[in-house]
Amino acid sequence: MRREAESHSDEDRRKFAEVEARNTLDSRVYQMEKLIRENREKLAEGDVKPVEAALETAKSALASGNLESIQSAIKELESASHKLAEVLYRASAAAGAAGGQGTPGATPGAQQSEGSAGKKGGDGEVIDAEYVDVDESKKPN
């Protein structure tokens, strides 16, 4: 029985590598489709086209089941996704710079103090303090 298992070990390794690659590619396809769906309004059509082409290649590679085509589709999808992530990062940085100025004429600390001034002390308030035991009998010699 052990010899039989050893004789099939190479086949098992190939199958394991194929399953891992399929799972990786399937997960990346899902993530990219979700990313595009959630950020469609922020993306130009020219930015999305290469990713959609890579997604189609990935889906056909998944259907074929060929390990080499799955691995090349993973690399192609990664490359396209990095470019898309860069576009999204630049868009969010630009939006953050434009939207991060706050209210015109207000000082930066004013907004923070207004938000905390409305809170009243109570059960939810946490006070950070140190405790020192002053009982002489508990002090080490």
Side-chain angles (χ1 to χ4, degrees), residues 3 5-6 11-12 17 24 34 38-39 50 54 63 65-67 102-103 114 124-125 129 135:
R3 276 184 272 175
E6 288 174 356
E11 181 183 332
D12 291 342
T24 300
K34 182 179 176 189
E38 290 176 349
N39 297 293
N66 184 0
L67 181 60
T103 309
E114 289 172 2
E125 189 173 323
D135 189 5

Side-chain angles (χ1 to χ4, degrees), residues 42-44 47 81-93:
K42 298 177 190 175
L43 299 169
D47 296 329
S81 69
H82 288 272
K83 291 176 185 172
L84 186 66
E86 183 180 331
V87 169
L88 284 172
Y89 178 74
R90 274 193 256 124
S92 69

Side-chain angles (χ1 to χ4, degrees), residues 106 109-119:
Q111 292 175 347
Q112 184 179 7
S113 63
E114 289 172 2
S116 59
K119 293 182 182 177

Side-chain angles (χ1 to χ4, degrees), residues 98-131:
Q101 300 299 326
T103 309
T107 60
Q111 292 175 347
Q112 184 179 7
S113 63
E114 289 172 2
S116 59
K119 293 182 182 177
K120 295 187 178 185
D123 296 333
E125 189 173 323
V126 177
I127 299 173
D128 188 21
E130 288 186 30
Y131 174 74

